[in-house]
Amino acid sequence: MKSKDLILPALLSACLMWLAWPPIPYTTPLLLIGLVPLLLTLQKISDSSATKKGKKVFLTAGLTFLLWNTASIFWVYNAISAYNSAFVAFLVSLIPYGLGALLMTFAFWLYHRLSLYTSKKTAYAGLLAFWVAMEYLHQSWDLAFPWMNLGNGLAGMHQLAQWYEYTGVYGGTFWILLSNILAFEAYKAFRSQQGYLKYRPALLWAIVLVVPAGFSLIRYATYKEKISPVNVVTVQPNIDPYEKLGGISSAQQLQILTKLSDSVAQINTEYFFWPETALPNYSDEDRIRETADYSSLQQFISKYPNASLVTGIETIKTYNNQKTLSAKMDPATHIYYDNFNTAMQIENSANVQFYHKSKLVPGAEKMPFPETMAFLKPVFAELGGSVGGWGWQEQPTVFYAHSGIGVAPVICYESIWGDWIGKSVKQGAQFIAIITNDGWWGNTSGKDQHFLYAGLRAIENRRWVVRSANTGISGFMNQRGDVVSRSQWWTRTALKADINLNEELTFYTKSGDLIAKAMCLLAIGLAFIIPYKKWVKKVKPA
């Protein structure tokens, strides 16, 4: 086969998937057919008399997924370069650009290998299992970046994703990939079969499209929230992230936040939300009540008797020994400490609650596989860093107000981990609050994708989502994932809403990523068929 016969279909599939990906409006259904050109090309490779077919499959699929991933998340470099040199940012960017694409490519390569020894249906089952397993791996390991999970694509048309309350995003991944497989089979049958056989795969494909989509649209139209209103304020201070740590004083930033809050607050407001690292000063968690910032916050919150304030802040916690894997030692005092990207809740009492961001950007915020890399601790210590990077916690947290209301605090890109947020809801959170600073990304599609993904968390758990972003996009989403109100990018504003609390748990909230775990087991079993057939049974490839 000529190179152009491989490259052009790869380009077409990459283009279709990019066009279908959020935040491009109204193109989401292209996800359901976007991989058909790639499948057609891989079939031609398998049917050809060419040598090194596996290599051609790997390279063709790899080109498709690398182009699609890079085009969809090109903005990642902006975010990483804000804290690192251009060289380091480039290297770290290769994780989301290339590693996710590599895992997708492995799924298709394993599918090709399995198809050489098994029936077509078994090979397709393998493709579904391998792909979902690779996505779950990319959500679970220390190089995690599940931004491009196929199921996230339905964030662009959330009316089709209402069944995520049962399956989570992996149900969407399964549906999208199955649709592409059946569309591929329908196309082949239409070209090669006669009579009823010509249309049978298309009929099956139509059923697979219509049943989930129809169920979702009916669920969307009939879902009703229980009325349990709470008045909430979210603030967008719009402070340039490059000036935040020096260009504007801490007192000025705090004044901006409090004035914006006061501008829309009511006497019955029960929650205020300020964005990630809204308070720029490092604070010792054990001495937080002694700081000037805390006194100012108490003065502000005292005007609202029933209110709690959740704000982003960078905190430090000290230890007499290396209590955590991420702890660093101060060479002057020989005291160990962790620094955290933290969400802090205060109220009209001495009660203060902390949550530490736990889904950290690999390479930029946390060294991958810190236990394995522990032998490098002396080297990193000499360079002023640590193998652990930022500190983290092992389980999510629920903030409880003195009124008993529970909220799930979520920091930045933790909002793409549905199972993580579901654990907070299962523990008692009645709504979800995402605090973030997307200003580092610039005015790119990244901020819009991040905002839309939050709607999937609302659907999975049937909880309102409150979003406070430093430069945007801030807003509110209801339990169907609808955007009730939102801010504009790079504007200074505050929004308020009466949101409904919910205590009922969805099937997904209670069970988590069951589909992904089941598909991982299936993937392992099917993957073992390949070496078993090749080396034990000595079966020649078809």
Side-chain angles (χ1 to χ4, degrees):
M1 297 181 68
K2 296 180 180 180
S3 296
K4 69 175 183 179
D5 294 331
L6 303 179
I7 293 174
L8 291 179
L11 289 173
L12 179 56
S13 271
C15 185
L16 289 172
M17 297 300 286
W18 169 71
L19 285 172
W21 205 251
I24 301 174
Y26 311 120
T27 57
T28 302
L30 289 176
L31 287 171
L32 301 169
I33 59 169
L35 295 175
V36 172
L38 175 61
L39 287 167
L40 283 167
T41 304
L42 300 187
Q43 182 69 59
K44 289 179 181 178
I45 294 173
S46 296
D47 293 342
S48 72
S49 59
T51 58
K52 298 182 179 179
K53 295 180 184 180
K55 180 180 178 180
K56 287 183 172 64
V57 166
F58 190 90
L59 292 177
T60 304
L63 177 62
T64 299
F65 299 130
L66 181 61
L67 291 174
W68 168 40
N69 278 254
T70 304
S72 299
I73 55 173
F74 67 93
W75 48 265
V76 167
Y77 176 85
N78 295 17
I80 298 173
S81 63
Y83 286 102
N84 300 275
S85 67
F87 179 70
V88 171
F90 171 74
L91 291 179
V92 175
S93 297
L94 292 178
I95 296 175
Y97 293 161
L99 188 53
L102 181 63
L103 294 174
M104 295 174 184
T105 302
F106 272 130
F108 268 73
W109 180 79
L110 286 169
Y111 153 69
H112 166 73
R113 297 296 301 170
L114 185 63
S115 69
L116 300 177
Y117 299 103
T118 63
S119 67
K120 182 170 62 176
K121 290 182 179 178
T122 301
Y124 282 150
L127 177 56
L128 290 164
F130 297 146
W131 184 285
V132 173
M134 292 298 176
E135 284 194 349
Y136 190 66
L137 171 64
H138 208 30
Q139 171 186 298
S140 307
W141 65 342
D142 275 18
L143 294 172
F145 191 80
W147 199 278
M148 294 299 294
N149 281 12
L150 266 181
N152 289 336
L154 294 188
M157 197 173 284
H158 68 281
Q159 296 87 350
L160 296 177
Q162 296 299 307
W163 38 279
Y164 279 19
E165 65 180 316
Y166 300 101
T167 69
V169 294
Y170 289 105
T173 292
F174 188 93
W175 183 51
I176 291 168
L177 195 53
L178 179 61
S179 170
N180 277 273
I181 292 170
L182 294 177
F184 167 58
E185 285 295 318
Y187 175 82
K188 288 197 305 177
F190 188 79
R191 293 290 299 270
S192 63
Q193 300 292 336
Q194 298 294 325
Y196 168 69
L197 294 178
K198 186 174 185 176
Y199 302 103
R200 186 173 64 178
L203 178 62
L204 178 60
W205 178 41
I207 293 171
V208 168
L209 288 180
V210 170
V211 172
F215 173 83
S216 185
L217 292 173
I218 292 171
R219 181 63 171 154
Y220 177 80
T222 58
Y223 181 82
K224 302 295 182 184
E225 296 184 11
K226 291 183 178 179
I227 305 301
S228 180
V230 169
N231 186 259
V232 174
V233 169
T234 183
V235 176
Q236 182 174 303
N238 199 46
I239 297 171
D240 189 325
Y242 292 97
E243 296 182 3
K244 186 173 180 62
L245 300 179
I248 304 176
S249 70
S250 175
Q252 287 176 298
Q253 293 183 49
L254 190 55
Q255 186 178 44
I256 291 169
L257 289 159
T258 55
K259 281 189 174 182
L260 287 170
S261 300
D262 288 333
S263 70
V264 297
Q266 303 171 181
I267 191 64
N268 67 332
T269 295
E270 295 201 43
Y271 258 107
F272 294 90
F273 292 96
W274 295 355
E276 179 185 15
T277 63
L279 303 183
N281 294 328
Y282 268 104
S283 297
D284 187 332
E285 292 186 8
D286 295 326
R287 305 179 65 181
I288 190 69
R289 297 172 187 82
E290 302 170 18
T291 65
D293 283 346
Y294 179 79
S295 298
S296 298
L297 297 178
Q298 282 292 335
Q299 184 177 0
F300 160 73
I301 204 72
S302 65
K303 293 178 286 187
Y304 307 97
N306 300 320
S308 298
L309 166 66
V310 174
T311 180
I313 183 174
E314 296 184 40
T315 62
I316 296 173
K317 196 165 182 63
T318 59
Y319 321 106
N320 292 325
N321 51 49
Q322 190 175 359
K323 188 175 180 179
T324 67
L325 189 62
S326 56
K328 299 165 280 289
M329 186 181 72
D330 183 345
T333 62
H334 297 285
I335 292 176
Y336 287 89
Y337 69 96
D338 266 319
N339 53 305
F340 298 104
N341 186 346
T342 301
M344 176 179 71
Q345 176 174 296
I346 69 164
E347 56 190 36
N348 283 295
S349 73
N351 186 34
V352 181
Q353 300 173 59
F354 296 100
Y355 166 70
H356 305 132
K357 181 182 178 183
S358 301
K359 302 299 181 182
L360 301 169
V361 179
E365 296 178 332
K366 178 184 177 183
M367 176 65 71
F369 312 107
E371 293 181 355
T372 305
M373 302 295 287
F375 70 94
L376 290 176
K377 275 186 177 290
V379 176
F380 277 83
E382 288 296 322
L383 296 174
S386 79
V387 172
W390 291 86
W392 65 90
Q393 60 185 64
E394 296 298 332
Q395 295 296 327
T397 292
V398 179
F399 284 162
Y400 286 100
H402 52 76
S403 62
I405 297 172
V407 57
V410 181
I411 302 175
C412 194
Y413 96 135
E414 289 183 322
S415 61
I416 59 176
W417 270 267
D419 190 45
W420 179 262
I421 294 175
K423 289 178 181 178
S424 290
V425 174
K426 194 174 181 179
Q427 292 171 15
Q430 295 157 292
F431 69 102
I432 300 163
I434 300 169
I435 61 173
T436 185
N437 182 5
D438 297 345
W440 303 110
W441 308 356
N443 189 16
T444 66
S445 58
K447 71 180 191 309
D448 302 290
Q449 292 169 359
H450 199 196
F451 180 75
L452 292 172
Y453 287 179
L456 302 180
R457 306 291 85 79
I459 296 167
E460 287 167 348
N461 300 285
R462 295 302 182 188
R463 295 294 190 271
W464 273 70
V465 173
V466 182
R467 200 168 190 274
S468 174
N470 175 29
T471 57
I473 303 168
S474 303
F476 298 93
M477 296 178 177
N478 64 20
Q479 294 170 23
R480 299 192 308 181
D482 300 324
V483 178
V484 176
S485 64
R486 56 172 286 171
S487 67
Q488 296 300 311
W489 168 255
W490 210 264
T491 57
R492 183 167 292 173
T493 188
L495 304 172
K496 67 177 177 180
D498 289 327
I499 69 172
N500 286 320
L501 304 179
N502 188 14
E503 295 182 351
E504 295 183 359
L505 300 182
T506 66
F507 180 83
Y508 176 75
T509 301
K510 291 185 284 188
S511 59
D513 292 324
L514 276 181
I515 289 178
K517 293 171 184 177
M519 296 301 278
C520 285
L521 294 175
L522 179 60
I524 293 171
L526 292 175
F528 272 117
I529 292 176
I530 301 170
Y532 176 76
K533 293 275 191 175
K534 182 176 181 179
W535 290 312
V536 178
K537 291 294 187 178
K538 307 293 184 181
V539 176
K540 291 184 178 181

